[in-house]
Amino acid sequence: NLEHELCILSKKIDWDSIEEDFSFYYSEIGRPSVPIRRMIGLLLLKHIYNLSDEAIVDRWIENPYWQYFSGELVFQTDKPFDPTEFIHFRNRIGKEGAERLLKISVQLFGKEALEKEVLIDSTVQEKNITYPTDAKLHKRIIDKVNKIAKQEGIVLRQTYTRTLKQLLIDQRFHSHPKRRKKAKAALRKIKTIAGRQVRDIERQFTDNQKEKYQELFIILNKILIQKKGDKNKIYSIHEPEVSCIAKGKEAKKFEFGNKSGIVLTKTTKIVVGALAFEGNPYDGHTLEEHLIQTEYLTDKRPKTGIVDRGYKGKKNVNGTEIILPSAPKKNSTQYQKLKARQRFRARAGIEPIIGHIKHDHRMLRNYLKGAFGNQLNTILAGTGFNLKKMLNRIKEQILFIFFENLNLSKSPFLLIYEYQRNRLLKV
């Protein structure tokens, strides 16, 4: 059915210009690569429908519309490529390539994306790590050292496998008054064993092995010496750049990940900016980068940015006026007060949009590695939201045309019922 929303969307996208832009990332020498349209098509579908690398490849075989969207002319029965190709492709295109895809999604809306006023807000993009505790981190160090020793053929004095099992049981429920003393002693013992294992394997390393594991053991030693009140603590061995960001809510006090920001048009709610930042910077310091990106994506700099009180202190950024909720001035007219109130009510509309981006487009938990993965996941989530918005709009247009061709003297609900009944009777 060429009137399906994905078929219509695929015709709206200028695939020739995409292939021309992304061919820059490929060499003309060597083994032929996976076609660019297929790679980008599946990457976009993955974020539109919130699927993992493995799931999108498996389900692509079953769905003719997904195959048509990614450039196939004949129905395919084999997997398009191995899921690991996504990793290589993301590393290849980087942040610039991801921003190019976001720009394409913005251009689909034409003049609607060129509003003078934009809404800006930040959120936390959580990383795929367990809730960090000292006991978990120190146990992870012991397991990591034992694994490396086995790989390198090093014999440690002791593995502490059985001892560690009992100590982990002892340190549970450490906040209970009757268990506090025993739990604290068990926690100290686990940390002692972790330090002992690290020193034991470091003594037995050759020069080549020291060089090979240098970065890892810097992280392990930093975890061992860090204390409760320290700044820039490490909360994960495999994701050391993760930051602890206070959420300020009773149910979930802290989130572990990075700060990301979203820029929306005020009326149409199109994502015209999506950036990830390292750590937990002050919101006001992120505005300049946001506005530079928005200017690149829309070829127009917004005149006004509407923000919440977290951005307090910034009133103008390179010619863009920054407005945040505040008490009306004494000389303000009734019209000015009403206008300000409307603006801040519109600003509150960014909150549910961020919720949709997080829950429906793979930003709730980031599975991509490192700070590089934070940037890509945020930008591609914004792209997925825009494309889903366009798909919904195409669906509405199809439904509108359908009702236009019917006799609207009857109730629309009755017409839908009759249409479904007749369709089922034909089947």
Side-chain angles (χ1 to χ4, degrees), residues 142-159:
I142 297 163
D143 292 341
K144 196 81 176 170
V145 169
N146 287 338
K147 187 179 177 182
I148 292 168
K150 193 175 180 181
Q151 286 175 351
E152 301 293 337
I154 296 170
V155 180
L156 299 171
R157 291 186 301 175
Q158 193 176 338
T159 60

Side-chain angles (χ1 to χ4, degrees), residues 153-303:
I154 296 170
V155 180
L156 299 171
R157 291 186 301 175
Q158 193 176 338
T159 60
Y160 296 98
T161 307
R162 292 170 67 184
T163 310
L164 193 62
K165 190 175 180 181
Q166 185 57 50
L167 287 170
L168 287 168
I169 293 167
D170 292 344
Q171 66 85 37
R172 292 176 68 203
F173 307 110
H174 55 270
S175 58
H176 194 280
K178 290 185 178 180
R179 292 187 58 86
R180 191 175 293 144
K181 188 176 179 182
K182 189 177 183 180
K184 282 188 174 181
L187 191 58
R188 284 196 302 271
K189 185 67 175 173
I190 293 168
K191 185 176 180 179
T192 302
I193 291 169
R196 194 180 294 165
Q197 294 291 79
V198 168
R199 290 189 296 274
D200 189 4
I201 198 168
E202 281 184 324
R203 280 194 297 267
Q204 298 187 55
F205 270 161
T206 62
D207 291 339
N208 289 337
Q209 288 168 339
K210 281 180 183 177
E211 193 175 341
K212 183 179 176 182
Y213 296 106
Q214 184 180 6
E215 289 183 14
L216 174 63
F217 275 81
I218 288 170
I219 293 167
L220 299 186
N221 283 307
K222 192 173 179 182
I223 291 170
L224 288 169
I225 61 171
Q226 68 189 14
K227 294 178 182 177
K228 188 177 180 180
D230 290 352
K231 292 184 178 180
N232 302 320
K233 289 174 73 176
I234 293 176
Y235 299 99
S236 171
I237 294 171
H238 71 283
E239 293 288 356
E241 77 290 336
V242 163
S243 298
C244 177
I245 301 173
K247 191 176 176 72
K249 294 182 181 177
E250 195 174 348
K252 197 174 187 182
K253 293 183 179 179
F254 303 101
E255 289 177 312
F256 297 90
N258 71 285
K259 183 173 279 189
S260 292
I262 301 292
V263 184
L264 289 181
T265 52
K266 181 186 164 189
T267 309
T268 51
K269 302 293 189 292
I270 298 161
V271 175
V272 290
L275 278 176
F277 304 95
E278 287 188 34
N280 183 18
Y282 159 58
D283 286 348
H285 293 160
T286 65
L287 285 169
E288 190 172 350
E289 286 184 61
H290 272 310
L291 295 169
I292 290 167
Q293 189 196 42
T294 302
E295 189 175 3
Y296 163 72
L297 295 174
T298 60
D299 298 320
K300 183 181 178 182
R301 193 173 184 86
K303 287 189 175 179

Side-chain angles (χ1 to χ4, degrees), residues 21-33:
D21 290 345
F22 282 84
S23 61
F24 168 77
Y25 299 106
Y26 289 83
S27 172
E28 293 181 4
I29 304 165
R31 178 186 169 193
S33 64

